[in-house]
Amino acid sequence: MKALWFHLMPYPGLDDRFDREAKSVWVDLDRSFFDSDVVTRSYHEYLDQLEHAAASGFDGICVNEHHQSAYGTMPSPNLMAAALARSTDEAAIVVMGNSIALYNPPTRVAEELAMLDHLSKGRLVAGFPVGTAMDTCYCYGIQPGQLRERFAEAHELITRAWSEPRPFAFNGRYNKLRYVNVSPRPLQDPRPPVWIPGGGSSVETWDLAVQNDYVYAYLSYYGYEQGKSTMDGFWDYATSHGLDDNPYRAAFLQFITVAETDEEARRLYKEPVEYFYQKCLKIPPGYSGAPGYQSEATYRSKLSSQVRKAARSVGNEAPTFDDIVDRGWVISGSPDTVRQRLEESITDLRFGHLLCLMHIGNMSDELTKMNTKLFAEEVLPKMRNRWPDYEDKWWPQACM
Amino acid sequence: MHVIYLHTLAGNPGLSPALEQLVAAGIEVVAPTLPGFDGISGWVPPHDHLAWLTEVWDRLDSTGALPCPVVGASVGGMFAAELAIFRPEAVTALALFAPLGIWADIDAADPYAIPGSQRLPMLFASNVPIAFEEQYTAQGEEGNVARYLAQMAGASLVWPIPDRNLDTRIHRISQRALLLWGEQDRIAPLETSKRWSEVATPNVVQGAGHLLEWDQPEQVGAALLEFLKEGGR
């Protein structure tokens, strides 16, 4: 099994005024809630934390893309990945990823990821998320009913740009390019491993992963118990379409906090965990339900994304740390407690890539590094040998 | 005599009381539902504005009602104006109720930044008419899906802002025209009407929101009837 260290890079300085006055953490949050000095300091601390994770033995480090938000302050994951490609040597650089429907032309993404693959000497994993409604439809103005068609077209263009031996013309609905001939090509041949992150049970997301033999990465904020139905749905879909059940086809994101004892974990992590669930997910329903963002098929499936779940929770009573841990949204406690709960999750949900979210909300730099170190030393070694009979075919060769 | 009526962002729940005044006066109202708003499974929004116009014109031609006077409200007003611009022979007179397609950079409400349940009241100055309440009341799973698809159609016409650059071509509208605008329109505030003034002088309807023919049916119906009768003289 592989463990990856995932950073959302949230803005850590939201105060009580945010609770009273802000409608949303995303899209139209007033800039007066941001302090530039905090942003500067956070960026450097966050990169330090990712480098610390790589040095601590995590197999990969992950960055992702969000716009106009205090939930995640990383509009360009490629910039962060470029810095990490130079400051780390062995860990996979997992860009999770670029919302490819947003870029015109999407060959820009093909070019930047190819550059990253060279900068990292072949350690890149390329993630292609559709993106949240907030990022894509509200911040970048994409018509919700076009989003998936644009995504599919961008995916075709990027993968062809990486693999076609000669220049070609691309005549799409949204992208018309007479000459496609990106340079450089990725270092990995034929391309970096592709992972498809998703925040819910989108039939189209599963299908994209299954049809192209990509990794499906479920970015869950709601832990094992709510992840079960989604991951079961993915495995049913994959096996019914003739794929094997290699657990490395799947990745699962889990919030994790480790301390010497369960009681100590509660004392240390209560504030940052509540910060995340109470402030960083403050998203009004209007921003998560753009008509057309979900396809008809997914709408019919009656399975809604976790962001919609989060959106529905706005106005409800804010969950406390104890609620959050009891529900399994965060696995928290001593190394033994965390290992036991994670092992249940890994087995039942059947995934080979564990995406560990270990900086949460406004967690301090010192506490984040302690959390990371304890996990790497006390938990991870005992889980390494899970899935010994399976080969991870979705991992950069340079990191094997 | 007959006219074509093109409905609003909120769909086609049946003739408004304003249009029923036309029927009572012996005028047939042909009111096709715009593509997507009928909630037919499998429909996807056209990929650009020209593709939208093509779908709409195919539907209008299938009615066999053109040429005739065309009445359009909201997104229907946008399509009516486009028809008058590009196919002037098809439109003998043009009545527009708060047409979309031109944006005034002023404080307008975003109907898609609020929960769906709050979207409908935003369109009216006062109470939501029963016809709309019924249309938006879920009718089982298929009803829910149809409603969702209709909302997707509406969103695709105004996303991210309801401007399709009509300001660059409305000078080509040469038909006799009527322009009515709700004083309390929150989707296209009254200020927007000034940008249509080369088509017709805006007539402000007091006590009306974006769907003015539902908020003030008597006033709107009377103005429309007078406009159409003038054309017949």
Side-chain angles (χ1 to χ4, degrees):
Chain A
M1 198 209 67
K2 291 189 173 66
L4 298 86
W5 204 95
F6 193 117
H7 217 317
L8 284 175
M9 300 196 180
Y11 179 74
L14 299 175
D15 55 15
D16 292 344
R17 187 171 70 89
F18 172 84
D19 298 333
R20 291 192 308 272
E21 299 177 9
K23 181 181 79 173
S24 173
V25 74
W26 223 312
V27 181
D28 61 354
L29 180 61
D30 192 281
R31 63 182 298 167
S32 68
F33 288 104
F34 292 91
D35 180 329
S36 289
D37 291 339
V38 173
V39 174
T40 303
R41 189 189 73 232
S42 298
Y43 276 149
H44 288 279
E45 287 183 356
Y46 290 165
L47 286 169
D48 286 348
Q49 290 160 16
L50 285 154
E51 292 161 5
H52 175 76
S56 298
F58 280 80
D59 300 286
I61 46 180
C62 310
V63 290
N64 73 349
E65 171 180 341
H66 292 295
H67 300 274
Q68 298 181 194
S69 121
Y71 160 93
T73 61
M74 197 165 16
S76 172
N78 298 350
L79 287 179
M80 293 304 187
L84 294 166
R86 288 283 295 166
S87 61
T88 62
D89 295 316
E90 296 179 355
I93 306 290
V94 183
V95 180
M96 250 333 228
N98 286 259
S99 299
I100 55 177
L102 302 183
Y103 297 95
N104 183 11
T107 41
R108 175 74 181 200
V109 176
E111 291 169 335
E112 290 192 357
L113 291 179
M115 289 176 68
L116 282 172
D117 204 28
H118 284 276
L119 281 172
S120 66
K121 299 178 181 173
R123 289 182 288 136
L124 179 71
V125 171
F128 293 152
V130 170
T132 69
M134 288 78 73
D135 291 317
T136 56
C137 302
Y138 290 94
C139 297
Y140 268 46
I142 301 291
Q143 289 183 23
Q146 292 182 351
L147 180 63
R148 288 182 186 277
E149 192 176 38
R150 285 179 178 272
F151 177 90
E153 186 175 306
H155 167 257
E156 180 190 350
L157 174 53
I158 290 169
T159 51
R160 284 187 61 193
W162 280 343
S163 61
E164 294 266 350
R166 282 176 288 279
F168 64 96
F170 187 86
N171 185 21
R173 285 280 186 218
Y174 305 99
N175 302 276
K176 295 188 186 297
L177 299 171
R178 184 66 183 85
Y179 302 99
V180 180
N181 187 25
V182 302
S183 180
R185 302 295 177 95
L187 178 61
Q188 295 177 77
D189 185 17
R191 53 165 174 73
V194 174
W195 292 17
I196 307 297
S201 307
S202 160
V203 176
E204 291 77 17
T205 302
W206 292 344
D207 191 64
L208 180 69
V210 166
Q211 296 298 336
N212 293 279
D213 199 22
Y214 295 156
V215 166
Y216 170 63
Y218 180 37
L219 306 186
S220 166
Y221 307 149
Y222 297 98
Y224 157 75
E225 290 176 10
Q226 293 206 28
K228 176 76 173 153
S229 64
T230 297
M231 294 305 291
D232 284 352
F234 166 71
W235 284 117
D236 287 346
Y237 195 86
T239 53
S240 70
H241 285 74
L243 297 187
D244 61 38
D245 63 353
N246 186 332
Y248 289 106
R249 292 187 180 283
F252 184 78
L253 183 144
Q254 178 63 59
F255 288 69
I256 300 167
T257 59
V258 194
E260 295 296 339
T261 66
D262 292 358
E263 294 73 24
E264 182 71 352
R266 186 182 190 284
R267 186 183 71 78
L268 290 173
Y269 298 114
K270 181 176 188 298
E271 182 194 341
V273 166
E274 290 183 349
Y275 180 99
F276 179 81
Y277 280 95
Q278 294 175 7
K279 295 183 194 293
C280 296
L281 293 181
K282 186 175 185 180
I283 307 160
Y287 284 154
S288 65
Y293 174 74
Q294 287 185 306
S295 70
E296 180 185 343
T298 298
Y299 186 82
R300 282 182 184 279
S301 76
K302 302 279 185 186
L303 299 171
S304 58
S305 81
Q306 62 193 331
V307 173
R308 286 174 66 86
K309 288 172 191 162
R312 280 197 294 271
S313 73
V314 170
N316 298 340
E317 195 170 335
T320 65
F321 180 82
D322 292 333
D323 297 332
I324 291 163
V325 172
D326 288 346
R327 294 170 191 172
W329 297 356
V330 173
I331 291 181
S332 182
S334 69
D336 282 344
T337 299
V338 168
R339 180 183 51 76
Q340 181 184 350
R341 295 196 67 179
L342 275 176
E343 284 180 344
E344 292 169 5
S345 171
I346 292 164
T347 301
D348 288 356
L349 275 58
R350 194 173 183 80
F351 57 86
H353 304 106
L354 172 63
L355 308 175
C356 305
L357 215 152
M358 308 198 69
H359 171 278
I360 304 173
N362 63 347
M363 193 182 288
S364 72
D365 186 49
E366 180 183 17
L367 187 55
T368 303
K369 288 175 178 169
M370 188 204 86
N371 190 26
T372 303
K373 185 169 185 289
L374 264 179
F375 182 87
E377 293 179 353
E378 304 289 335
V379 181
L380 185 54
K382 296 172 182 170
M383 304 193 316
R384 278 276 184 218
N385 293 328
R386 194 72 185 88
W387 313 120
D389 300 328
Y390 293 91
E391 178 190 0
D392 187 352
K393 296 184 286 187
W394 299 270
W395 196 247
Q397 284 293 324
C399 301
M400 293 290 190
Chain B
M1 182 183 183
H2 68 270
V3 302
I4 279 183
Y5 169 75
L6 299 178
H7 63 76
T8 73
L9 188 61
N12 191 15
L15 294 187
S16 67
L19 292 171
E20 284 174 350
Q21 289 183 47
L22 270 60
V23 176
I27 299 173
E28 181 189 0
V29 179
V30 179
T33 298
L34 292 170
F37 286 87
D38 39 20
I40 293 174
S41 180
W43 183 84
V44 292
H47 68 278
D48 65 11
H49 190 58
L50 185 56
W52 253 113
L53 294 181
T54 305
E55 278 203 29
V56 171
W57 293 351
D58 285 347
R59 187 156 295 195
L60 294 185
D61 287 341
S62 72
T63 67
L66 295 173
C68 67
V70 178
V71 182
S74 176
V75 293
M78 175 176 73
F79 286 125
E82 295 282 35
L83 191 68
I85 293 166
F86 288 107
R87 295 177 58 190
E89 76 288 352
V91 181
T92 58
L94 180 66
L96 302 175
F97 304 162
L100 299 179
I102 298 177
W103 176 251
D105 191 12
I106 50 180
D107 189 23
D110 180 356
Y112 300 105
I114 57 174
S117 61
Q118 297 171 23
R119 202 168 287 150
L120 203 52
M122 183 183 281
L123 303 176
F124 301 92
S126 50
N127 296 331
V128 177
I130 290 172
F132 279 92
E133 293 279 22
E134 288 174 347
Q135 180 185 239
Y136 278 76
T137 301
Q139 302 289 328
E141 182 174 332
E142 289 308 312
N144 265 325
V145 170
R147 184 180 59 172
Y148 180 73
L149 293 175
Q151 291 179 350
M152 177 168 69
S156 77
L157 285 167
V158 301
W159 205 283
I161 57 175
D163 194 302
R164 296 297 180 266
N165 300 323
L166 266 75
D167 61 315
T168 63
R169 50 188 178 272
I170 56 172
H171 66 274
R172 296 187 63 84
I173 294 177
S174 56
Q175 294 85 346
R176 206 168 53 86
L178 171 71
L179 181 61
L180 302 181
W181 217 283
E183 184 201 23
Q184 298 172 41
D185 193 329
R186 283 172 279 182
I187 304 300
L190 182 58
E191 186 74 9
T192 316
S193 67
K194 294 177 182 172
R195 300 199 60 195
W196 287 84
S197 57
E198 66 182 295
V199 175
T201 302
N203 291 295
V204 180
V205 180
Q206 305 291 330
H210 187 57
L211 272 59
L212 54 160
E213 77 263 41
W214 292 85
D215 275 329
Q216 296 295 337
E218 290 184 11
Q219 187 180 343
V220 171
L224 185 56
L225 202 51
E226 184 181 347
F227 171 74
L228 293 171
K229 284 179 177 173
E230 281 178 4
R233 283 202 290 267

